[in-house]
């Protein structure tokens, strides 16, 4: 018997038993206490004290056994035999855990149990019914994934028949770039993390707690997953750029969309959540967005893991799709029930908690939500509609032109909003006051637009993007300077907390907007026909073809060209041909600077090895480097806002906003 | 205490600010609107390669998993790219080029769906849903008596307040605002290149005959590249101008002969054949085609056929004289008698 | 972040009586129905790879093909095959499934040698003439094949990847399209339907 299989399975069943017992004691407690009016659960946390850590330990045990099996190339396990080979480098061996379906569900479960455990630790002394319900919901979700790992997606299955001497190795696309080891983990930390806000919110509704401080707690637990998801999506884009060989970073592929949809709704929820926290408005709305976000993460899991969509990122066909659909139905039923029947009990009925004024922070949050939701909706329809249509035996393709046309107008309005909204306050603001606040940022925008026109730009959308992104960055910097003044020159007070972190995240988003727009509209594409030793220019860049070599390996044939880009390099774009595959896999050569990326691929294999001529595909795009940088800045913004500023500052801010209000009323 | 100080300071600066603001805002608006409008109205000429790339990005690579032809290096994608580029050089319209692909691959080759009611639905559904969301949210927001998205009836909150005149004027303001918003969205749509009414057409200042004269002159002084561009300009106005098609085709095929590039020869031939498809009595075109068959494609039989049609159309003597040696070569290599008009 | 103590909150909603409006329930049930509908369809969705659109060429006149045969250099035109069923086979020497399907094609040609009412015409997809003719020789095929160097024939026929095969009627109409390797049974069935 294989030790890895035994330990792996044992871990899963250990967790399964522990979580069942924990659920049992929670349910017992709820039933006991619900009848009485006493909602103190002081005893409860003692009863689950042993079981909560055991769940994490069990799952960790099976993750460790799987990693051990991968590292020791234990081909007695079918999963290892299919996704690992003796030759596989260490990094991709470790990444083997998430390079195929069964392992990826195990990783999902592992991250889920980490989050659930952290949540337990954080609230172990709380006696609030909200926490009890939230723990219960967490555990039910854990049980569901434990079931998936134990039955339909079990990675610990013994190889059928003779044990192979060597494994098949991971998918060739997955052993090309180290990013493959990072970006899925980040994505999972993002997607899985939305479980906690979901359970707190449902817990709040079941316990009928209208206190908005719960909203604060929810948003806190949303920031970490949101940051990870943001960076994960950008790292995924980076991976496609580095590996797929077409010079782009986003293709509106169903799998990319599956991660983008929860990001969009989560971003909306984080914004409206601020309004709920500070002004008790948009309560039900924020709750709905949080529930929708979690539903979309499970829908995304379904789309990527059931084989219903065609994508380079999708996992192969599997049988877990139906279980995920059942889960989605359950989530939708519970969420809709909660929003319809429970949410009215905690929503504010007082006139004081209505939106005030059209040019105010709350109105800006509403507009922000409309725009994010509109984009999410377009992405949802574009992703799901073709699948639905196939059912009526029609096929249509929905690709980049569709998404670009539908989402671009909303994205542009969002860009204008991000440049204006941070200076608004909750009380309505007069236009002159707004004009004063926005004067310098708008001046910057106008200058940029005039400079662009003078330097010959002829794309109106480009000019709108650059000007308003500049304006947004100036606005964000001004807000940061205000933070700096407010915290009396403390750097910590400037960047930490929600006010600091959110502005950093805004700057990241705006850098992203500028760089994406530049890459898309100012990029140049072309082909060069080069003979060995020849040197030709494209877009004022000189390409010199030095040599071509072909290596026949047992598992593949690699053709490699050495190319000088100006005087840098040599860069070596390659084509790898695997037997039984009609299409070769191209590996690009990338010369990257902060100003410009030169991306070269071997377009065509030379016909006959003697001819020594190649067709070089060239993509020259500006500012690609800043896309990835923007991703890191967004991540940093999220993390910074998690770290609370000093309480002193908080008190001062409150008084400051009060004086601001009185001042405004004077002006009025 | 420090608080108050900073507040007065702020007030001082803000009064200076206000003066500056009144003066600067009109300039800012003017600069922003002016530069965007200028950029929008500035005629942009797409090179054939750019046009080809934009078409490639609208077509799915039939052998791939959801990639566009532009992004794929699969064999068929490479062929489709070549076909699109040739069609662009032949000055076919975007819809002609895309439709010819959809005719053999099916409508799902389009990455932005159209051509069936199912495809139209994919545009209608999100539009309607977004419209509903906007109505729902703006309704609850603008009509402040509604509590936000919780379905509290108006009268529950209305109290005894009656509608005042200021509320009416506010409504007018909202209508104004929404009209402006619609205008901005429309403008954005135009800027994004959507096919909305009012889409700008780039036209040239010269008449077609003038352009043809320019092009012929350019060709006669040896500016082949310039001549080809000018012929193309004629063809963007009127894609069935046979003279431009014929001459451009000839120049391109000549270019191909010089650079030993068979693709150019084939392209030139295709353009001349296209010119002939609009009318078979184009003597010049038959002459050019014959010469291409004879000298570039080494098919004297086909060349002789073309020359026979050419001669049957009673061409001007100077044309015959210019190509006499080629015509005689074609007939003699086939052993056919040389027509009387050549002697 | 602060852990909250909610027991003393004045708004603790347990005792509040709220009437849920009919509109709210109506909206919720509409959303529920739509979502359940979508999920129902998803539950019965086939895997993405099994679906392909029927060729728009079916029932239409086959686009003409002409060129020199790579097998014997003679001039071949699809029009010259009128009066016979034509099996138009797109293939390449680098394509493994093309190799797999060749026995079926050869047997099919052999079975119809007496009636002489079927012709096979190969179209070389993205390959050199010499490699393609060597491929045909190695599998024992004797039919004509045209090299489609520019891929224009493949585009005319809406071909994505070899092997793809078309059945063309004696009058020149496209009757059927096979994506992937053909089988003898498949060919017999298709031709039987129109004979």
């Amino acid at each position: 018997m294989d030790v890895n299989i035994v330990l792996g399975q044992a871990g899963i069943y250990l967790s399964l038993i522990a979580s069942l017992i924990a659920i049992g004691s929670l349910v017992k407690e709820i039933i006991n206490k619900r009848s009485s009016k006493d909602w103190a659960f002081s005893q409860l946390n003692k009863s689950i004290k042993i079981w909560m850590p055991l769940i994490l330990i069990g799952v960790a045990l099976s993750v460790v056994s799987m990693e051990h099996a991968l590292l020791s190339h234990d081909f007695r396990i079918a999963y290892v035999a299919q996704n690992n080979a003796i030759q596989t480098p260490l990094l991709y061996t470790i990444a083997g855990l998430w390079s195929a379906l069964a392992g990826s569900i195990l990783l999902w479960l592992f991250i889920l149990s980490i989050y659930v455990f952290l949540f337990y630790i954080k609230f172990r002394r709380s006696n609030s019914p909200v926490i009890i319900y939230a723990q219960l919901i967490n555990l039910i979700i854990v049980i569901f994934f434990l079931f998936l790992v134990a039955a339909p997606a079990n990675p610990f299955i013994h190889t059928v028949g003779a044990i192979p001497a060597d494994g098949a190795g991971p998918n060739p696309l997955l052993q090309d770039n180290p990013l493959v080891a990072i970006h899925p983990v980040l994505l999972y930390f993002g997607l899985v993390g939305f479980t906690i806000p979901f359970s707190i919110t449902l817990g709040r509704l079941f316990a009928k707690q209208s206190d908005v401080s719960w909203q604060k707690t929810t948003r806190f637990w949303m920031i970490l997953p949101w940051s990870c998801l943001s960076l994960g999506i950008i790292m995924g884009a980076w991976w496609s750029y580095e590996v797929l060989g077409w010079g782009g970073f986003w293709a509106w592929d169903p799998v990319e969309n599956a991660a983008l949809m929860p990001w969009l709704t989560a971003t909306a929820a984080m914004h409206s959540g601020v309004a709920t926290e500070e002004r008790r408005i948009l309560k039900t709305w924020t709750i709905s967005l949080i529930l929708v976000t979690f539903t979309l993460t499970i829908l995304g899991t379904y789309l990527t893991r059931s084989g219903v969509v065609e994508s380079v990122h999708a996992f192969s066909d599997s049988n877990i799709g139906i279980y995920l659909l059942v889960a989605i139905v359950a989530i939708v039923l519970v969420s809709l029930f909660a929003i319809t029947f429970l949410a009215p009990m905690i929503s504010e009925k007082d006139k004081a908690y209505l939106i005030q004024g059209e040019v105010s922070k709350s109105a800006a949050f509403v507009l922000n939500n409309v725009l994010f939701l509109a984009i999410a909706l377009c992405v949802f329809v574009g992703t799901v509609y073709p699948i639905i249509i196939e059912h009526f035996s029609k096929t249509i393709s929905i690709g980049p032109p569709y998404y670009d046309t539908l989402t671009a107008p909303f994205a542009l309005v969002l860009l204008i909003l991000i440049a204006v909204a941070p200076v608004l306050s909750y009380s309505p603001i007069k236009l002159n006051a707004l004009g004063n606040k926005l004067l310098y940022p708008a001046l910057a925008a106008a200058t940029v637009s005039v400079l662009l026109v003078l330097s010959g730009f002829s794309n109106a959308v480009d000019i709108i993007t650059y000007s308003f992104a500049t304006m947004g960055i100036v606005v964000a910097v001004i807000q940061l300077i205000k933070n700096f003044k407010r915290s009396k020159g403390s750097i910590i007070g400037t960047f930490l907390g929600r006010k600091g972190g959110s502005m950093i995240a805004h700057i990241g988003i705006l850098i992203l907007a500028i760089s994406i727009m530049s890459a898309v509209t100012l990029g140049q594409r072309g082909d060069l026909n080069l003979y060995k030793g020849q040197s030709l220019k494209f877009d004022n860049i000189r390409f010199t073809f030095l040599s071509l070599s072909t290596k026949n390996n047992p598992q593949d044939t690699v053709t490699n060209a050495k190319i000088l880009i100006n005087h840098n390099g040599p860069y070596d774009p390659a084509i790898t041909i695997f037997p039984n595959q009609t299409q070769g896999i191209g590996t690009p050569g990338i010369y990257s600077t902060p100003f410009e990326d030169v991306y070269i691929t071997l377009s065509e294999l030379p016909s006959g090895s003697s001819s020594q001529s190649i067709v070089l595909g060239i993509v020259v795009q500006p500012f690609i480097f800043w896309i990835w940088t923007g991703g890191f800045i967004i991540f940093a913004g999220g993390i910074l806002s998690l770290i609370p500023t000093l309480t002193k500052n908080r008190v001062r801010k409150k008084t400051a906003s009060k004086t601001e209000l009185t001042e405004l009323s004077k002006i009025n | 205490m420090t608080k108050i100080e900073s507040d007065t300071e702020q007030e001082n600066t803000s009064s200076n600010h206000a003066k500056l603001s009144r003066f600067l805002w009109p300039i800012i608006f003017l600069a922003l609107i002016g530069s965007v409008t200028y950029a929008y109205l500035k005629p942009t000429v797409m090179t054939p390669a750019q046009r080809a790339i934009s078409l490639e990005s609208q077509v799915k690579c039939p052998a791939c998993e959801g990639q566009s032809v532009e992004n794929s290096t699969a064999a068929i994608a490479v062929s489709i790219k070549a076909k699109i580029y040739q069609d662009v050089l032949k000055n076919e319209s975007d819809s002609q080029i895309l439709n010819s692909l959809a005719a053999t691959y099916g409508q799902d080759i389009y990455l932005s769906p159209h051509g069936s009611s199912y495809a139209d639905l994919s545009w209608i559904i999100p539009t309607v849903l977004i419209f509903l969301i906007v109505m729902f949210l703006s309704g609850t927001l603008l009509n402040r008596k509604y509590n936000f998205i919780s379905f509290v009836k108006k009268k529950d909150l209305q109290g005894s307040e009656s509608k005042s005149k200021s509320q009416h004027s506010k409504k007018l303001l909202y209508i104004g605002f929404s009209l402006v918003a619609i205008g901005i969205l429309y403008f954005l749509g135009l800027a994004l290149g959507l096919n909305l009414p009012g889409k700008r057409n780039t036209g040239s200042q010269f008449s077609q005959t003038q352009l043809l004269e320019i092009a012929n002159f350019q060709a006669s002084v040896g500016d082949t590249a310039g001549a080809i561009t000018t012929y193309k300009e004629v063809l963007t106005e009127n894609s069935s101008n046979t003279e431009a098609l014929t001459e451009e085709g000839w120049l391109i095929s000549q270019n191909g002969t010089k650079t030993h590039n068979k693709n150019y020869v084939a392209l030139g031939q295709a353009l001349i054949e296209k010119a002939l498809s609009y009318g078979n009595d184009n003597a010049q075109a038959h002459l050019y085609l014959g010469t291409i068959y004879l000298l570039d494609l080494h098919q004297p039989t086909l060349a002789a056929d073309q020359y026979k049609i050419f001669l049957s159309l009673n061409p001007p003597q100077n044309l015959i004289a210019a190509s006499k040696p080629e015509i005689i070569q074609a007939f003699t290599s086939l052993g056919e008698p040389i027509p009387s008009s050549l002697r | 972040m602060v852990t909250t103590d909610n027991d003393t909150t004045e708004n603790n909603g347990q005792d509040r009586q709220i009437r849920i409006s009919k509109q709210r329930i109506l909206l919720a049930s509409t959303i529920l129905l739509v979502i359940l509908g979508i999920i129902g369809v998803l539950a019965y969705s086939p895997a993405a790879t099994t679906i392909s659109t029927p060729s728009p060429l079916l029932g239409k006149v086959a686009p003409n093909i002409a060129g020199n045969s790579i097998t014997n250099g003679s001039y071949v035109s699809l029009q010259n095959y009128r009066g016979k069923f034509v099996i138009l086979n797109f293939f390449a020497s680098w394509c493994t499934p093309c190799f797999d399907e060749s026995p079926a094609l050869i047997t099919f040609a052999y079975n119809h040698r007496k009636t002489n009412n079927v012709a096979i015409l190969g179209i070389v997809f993205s390959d050199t003439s010499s490699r393609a003719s060597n491929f045909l020789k190695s599998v024992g095929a004797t039919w004509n094949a045209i090299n489609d160097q520019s891929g224009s024939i493949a585009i005319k026929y809406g071909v994505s990847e070899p092997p793809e095969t078309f059945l063309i009627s004696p009058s020149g109409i496209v009757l059927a399209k096979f994506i992937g390797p053909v089988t003898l049974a498949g060919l017999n069935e298709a031709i039987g339907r129109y004979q």
Side-chain angles (χ1 to χ4, degrees), chain A residues 285-299:
Chain A
W285 181 249
T286 308
I287 287 171
S288 314
L289 283 174
I290 292 168
L291 301 186
V292 164
T293 302
F294 180 68
T295 316
L296 285 174
T297 61
I298 303 293
L299 179 77

Side-chain angles (χ1 to χ4, degrees), chain A residues 582-594:
Chain A
T582 52
Q583 238 181 288
I585 290 174
T587 313
I590 306 170
Y591 170 59
S592 180
T593 67

Side-chain angles (χ1 to χ4, degrees), chain A residues 282 348 385 397 399 402 436 525, chain B residues 17 70 108 111 118 122 147:
Chain A
L282 303 173
E348 306 291 341
Y385 187 73
S397 324
Y402 173 89
N436 288 345
R525 251 163 212 278
Chain B
H17 221 92
E70 185 202 356
D108 67 330
L111 280 172
Y118 283 97
S122 71
N147 191 347

Side-chain angles (χ1 to χ4, degrees), chain A residues 24-277:
Chain A
S25 42
L26 285 175
V27 169
K28 196 178 136 215
E29 204 74 11
I30 288 170
I31 291 171
N32 282 346
K33 300 278 172 161
R34 237 199 128 116
S35 47
S36 69
K37 290 240 161 168
D38 175 24
W39 277 83
F41 286 94
S42 46
Q43 288 303 307
L44 182 96
N45 290 306
K46 272 182 198 158
S47 65
I48 60 171
K49 197 168 141 190
I50 318 161
W51 307 113
M52 294 307 280
L54 265 185
I55 297 172
L56 180 63
I57 289 168
V59 175
L61 179 66
S62 68
V63 168
V64 168
S65 346
M66 180 45 84
E67 282 298 353
H68 182 255
L70 284 163
L71 288 168
S72 59
H73 307 294
D74 183 355
F75 299 128
R76 285 174 293 182
I77 298 176
Y79 183 84
V80 179
Q82 283 155 16
N83 296 293
N84 188 263
I86 292 166
Q87 295 298 320
T88 311
L90 177 69
L91 185 68
Y92 305 113
T93 298
I94 296 171
L97 177 62
W98 51 91
S99 61
L101 182 114
S104 78
I105 298 282
L106 181 59
L107 179 68
W108 185 292
L109 175 64
F110 182 49
I111 293 172
L112 178 64
S113 17
I114 293 175
Y115 270 117
V116 167
F117 183 70
L118 286 178
F119 182 78
Y120 163 74
I121 291 292
K122 179 80 204 168
F123 291 103
R124 68 189 180 283
R125 291 189 212 294
S126 163
N127 56 1
S128 162
V130 176
I131 296 303
I132 301 305
Y133 280 115
Q135 306 266 36
L136 183 63
I137 293 157
N138 280 343
L139 286 173
I140 292 172
I141 297 167
V142 168
I143 290 261
F144 172 72
F145 278 94
L146 277 168
F147 159 74
L148 286 186
V149 173
N154 194 329
F156 297 100
I157 287 174
H158 206 279
T159 308
V160 182
I163 290 140
D166 196 358
N171 180 333
L173 274 177
L174 299 181
Q175 34 179 329
D176 225 21
N177 193 291
L179 281 167
V180 101
I182 308 160
H183 102 258
V185 180
L186 274 170
L187 276 181
Y188 289 1
F189 263 103
L191 294 170
V192 176
F194 291 133
T195 310
I196 304 292
F198 172 79
S199 56
I200 303 178
T201 306
L202 272 190
R204 223 180 124 195
L205 287 170
F206 283 123
K208 294 167 194 144
Q209 296 288 321
S210 64
D211 191 326
V212 281
S213 66
W214 284 112
Q215 177 54 43
K216 207 169 226 163
T217 316
T218 315
R219 207 176 50 81
F220 177 88
W221 283 90
M222 256 190 132
I223 292 174
L224 179 66
W226 179 87
S227 311
C228 293
L229 184 58
S230 310
L231 188 59
I233 290 174
I234 300 287
M235 292 297 106
W238 197 359
W239 174 79
S240 355
Y241 179 75
E242 296 272 341
V243 168
L244 295 183
W246 55 278
F249 39 84
W250 188 261
W252 294 105
D253 172 290
V255 173
E256 294 169 349
N257 293 347
L260 181 67
M261 286 188 282
W263 185 87
L264 290 166
T265 52
T267 313
M270 282 168 60
H271 284 93
S272 69
V274 175
T276 311
E277 263 171 52

Side-chain angles (χ1 to χ4, degrees), chain A residues 451-643:
Chain A
L451 284 178
L452 287 175
V453 166
L454 290 180
S455 58
F457 269 74
S458 59
N459 186 334
V461 181
D462 267 1
I463 292 179
I464 296 173
T465 310
Y466 294 140
S467 330
F468 282 95
T470 313
M471 181 165 164
I473 291 174
V474 176
V475 163
V477 171
I478 289 176
Q479 295 303 106
L480 285 175
I481 293 172
K482 273 190 186 165
N483 284 353
F484 184 72
K485 281 183 182 164
R486 210 173 276 148
S487 58
K488 287 189 182 171
S490 123
I491 301 287
I492 295 168
T494 313
F495 294 110
L496 296 193
R498 182 166 64 68
K499 292 216 162 164
S502 66
M503 286 305 119
I504 305 274
H506 274 196
I507 293 173
I509 289 277
L510 292 163
I511 287 175
L512 207 61
I514 294 177
S515 48
I516 289 175
M517 203 61 189
S518 312
V520 171
T521 58
L522 305 176
Q524 296 286 335
R525 251 163 212 278
D527 292 318
L528 276 187
N529 225 319
L530 285 171
Y531 293 96
K532 194 177 167 181
Q534 200 182 7
S535 181
L536 282 178
K537 270 192 170 182
F538 175 84
D539 199 37
N540 272 324
I541 299 163
R542 182 165 287 283
F543 296 89
T544 314
F545 173 26
L546 297 179
S547 67
L548 189 75
S549 60
T550 304
K551 225 193 243 172
N552 285 309
N553 302 322
Q555 72 275 20
D556 56 18
T557 308
V558 184
T559 308
N560 216 312
K562 293 231 174 296
I563 311 282
L564 281 182
I565 299 175
N566 284 334
H567 293 291
N568 308 294
Y571 291 88
D572 42 359
I575 288 189
T576 311
I577 293 181
F578 295 90
N580 304 323
Q581 257 178 318
T582 52
Q583 238 181 288
I585 290 174
T587 313
I590 306 170
Y591 170 59
S592 180
T593 67
F595 301 103
E596 192 173 66
D597 267 30
V598 182
Y599 190 97
I600 51 174
T601 45
L602 271 185
S603 288
E604 258 168 57
L605 272 183
S607 46
S609 49
S610 59
S611 82
Q612 298 281 299
S613 94
I614 54 164
V615 177
L616 197 66
I618 301 167
V619 187
V620 183
Q621 294 173 118
F623 299 146
I624 292 279
F625 169 84
W626 294 97
I627 299 179
W628 328 134
T629 313
F632 282 110
I633 295 175
I634 296 169
F635 181 73
I639 298 302
L640 285 173
S641 67
L642 273 180
I643 306 166

